[in-house]
Amino acid sequence: MAPMAALENPAHTGPVVGFDLDMTLIDSRPGIHATWRALTERTGTYVDADLVVSRLGPPLVDELAHWFPAEQIAGMADLYREMYPTHAIEGTLPMPGVHEAMAAVHAAGGRAIVVTAKYEPNAKLHLAHLGIDADAVIGDLWAEGKGEALREHGASVYVGDHTGDVRGARTAGALSVAVTTGPCSAEELRAAGADVVLADLTAFPAWLESYTERAARR
């Protein structure tokens, strides 16, 4: 198990816990589906939005590569991100237990940070719209790339729904807590190296209490 991280702010005495965004904290499928459909209408290029939302996790440019030639990907990424606030924010829902999970971190004296592959300004719009109380938001990072931000913030735990999130936690030397609310099964998450697998965030506060109690006894 990863050690309790030293915190940058001495006012915090508990762990720094990182969270993924899509399908971990928020159910962004309705909004993302609407944005891809709008992109199809705008560009005339068909995108199977149902397929897209079944495999959320990797960066936008990876998904765009399935539908657009390489020379158009950068421009399509810019267009998608520009359209996203209009189509995606209102339709996105909080995952069950998200507010309680954040509150549990703060009640333990810790910090809750969001580290996501999503374009950071749009990630912040989601959190503000849903009233999710994160202490920091770091966007545009995927898989092992998330490890750098987790290390910089002293995270000892990273919570995510994708095998890429497990890899990010491993890169940072953080405990990998996985939830099965995204595209990856419990078996896939364990095979990737997840230390803990939970059905969803509603189980997280009790797990965190146990984790902090064990850390305090060391």
Side-chain angles (χ1 to χ4, degrees):
M1 180 175 290
M4 189 75 73
L7 304 178
E8 297 173 358
N9 186 340
H12 295 284
T13 58
V16 178
V17 179
F19 292 89
D20 175 50
L21 184 63
D22 289 312
M23 304 311 298
T24 299
L25 297 180
I26 63 174
D27 184 351
S28 51
R29 289 173 299 184
I32 290 175
H33 192 281
T35 306
W36 282 101
R37 290 190 63 182
L39 188 70
T40 288
E41 293 174 5
R42 180 80 169 264
T43 64
T45 297
Y46 174 72
V47 175
D48 185 341
D50 292 335
L51 178 58
V52 170
V53 299
S54 74
R55 58 188 185 195
L56 297 181
L60 171 63
V61 293
D62 289 9
E63 186 61 50
L64 284 165
H66 292 293
W67 310 103
F68 294 92
E71 66 273 14
Q72 293 183 20
I73 289 176
M76 289 300 105
D78 288 342
L79 178 59
Y80 178 94
R81 289 165 178 155
E82 177 187 325
M83 298 171 67
Y84 191 93
T86 298
H87 298 280
I89 304 303
E90 291 289 336
T92 293
L93 303 170
M95 281 295 193
V98 60
H99 296 292
E100 292 83 358
M102 291 291 187
V105 175
H106 293 139
R111 298 176 65 241
I113 67 171
V114 175
V115 182
T116 175
K118 191 177 293 297
Y119 180 55
E120 188 172 305
N122 289 339
K124 290 178 177 178
L125 288 176
H126 277 303
L127 297 173
H129 177 70
L130 295 174
I132 297 172
D133 186 17
D135 296 291
V137 182
I138 307 96
D140 304 291
L141 296 173
W142 164 241
E144 289 83 0
K146 294 183 174 186
E148 181 178 349
L150 293 168
R151 282 195 303 266
E152 287 177 357
H153 285 263
S156 59
V157 177
Y158 186 56
V159 185
D161 66 280
H162 199 283
T163 55
D165 299 323
V166 177
R167 286 153 48 199
R170 287 300 186 201
T171 300
L175 191 80
S176 172
V177 177
V179 289
T180 58
T181 47
C184 298
S185 68
E187 292 73 19
E188 289 172 313
L189 294 163
R190 290 192 186 97
D195 297 292
V196 178
V197 178
L198 306 174
D200 58 33
L201 287 178
T202 63
F204 180 79
W207 175 86
L208 182 66
E209 182 178 6
S210 175
Y211 169 70
T212 54
E213 287 176 354
R214 290 194 304 272
R217 290 197 294 267
R218 292 196 187 117

